[in-house]
Amino acid sequence: MRIEDMSLDQSVELNHCICRRIDELRDRENLQALSQLRVGLKVTIEGQKGAVLGIVTKINRKSVFVPAENGTTQYKVSPGVLRPPREEK
């Protein structure tokens, strides 16, 4: 069936199915990322202003609290956006 031939009800149902699947995939990725995290672990957050180094202080089911190493900002982020700190050369 082509999407152009679908009724409104069929389109809405398809949308719900796709949204559920996206949520399942994101949850799976977050659980995998959470299993790698520990309180006190140094991590890097890629932000709009570049990389920010911080330390994990609290881990929730869907979010992680990371104060910036400079102490000015605290981030509440999805575990999937955290990376190991970059190696200093």
Side-chain angles (χ1 to χ4, degrees):
M1 176 180 274
R2 293 175 359 123
I3 197 165
E4 292 84 10
D5 298 332
M6 296 175 86
S7 70
L8 178 59
D9 289 339
Q10 290 171 324
S11 297
V12 169
E13 181 60 31
L14 177 61
N15 180 54
H16 288 306
C17 291
I18 291 171
C19 290
R20 273 195 306 271
R21 181 66 177 144
I22 290 170
D23 289 342
E24 289 171 3
L25 292 172
R26 284 184 179 155
D27 287 346
R28 186 181 307 160
E29 286 177 355
N30 281 342
L31 283 175
Q32 182 180 8
L34 280 172
S35 71
Q36 312 269 326
L37 297 176
R38 302 285 177 262
V39 171
L41 182 68
K42 284 190 175 186
V43 293
T44 300
I45 303 168
E46 290 295 332
Q48 293 175 340
K49 297 179 182 178
V52 177
L53 188 62
I55 299 174
V56 174
T57 58
K58 184 176 180 181
I59 301 172
N60 291 331
R61 190 169 61 90
K62 291 188 176 186
S63 61
V64 179
F65 288 85
V66 181
E69 197 171 59
N70 62 15
T72 59
T73 308
Q74 179 166 322
Y75 298 90
K76 178 182 175 186
V77 297
S78 170
V81 302
L82 300 175
R83 301 286 178 252
R86 293 181 180 163
E87 294 294 324
E88 298 288 328
K89 292 185 180 179

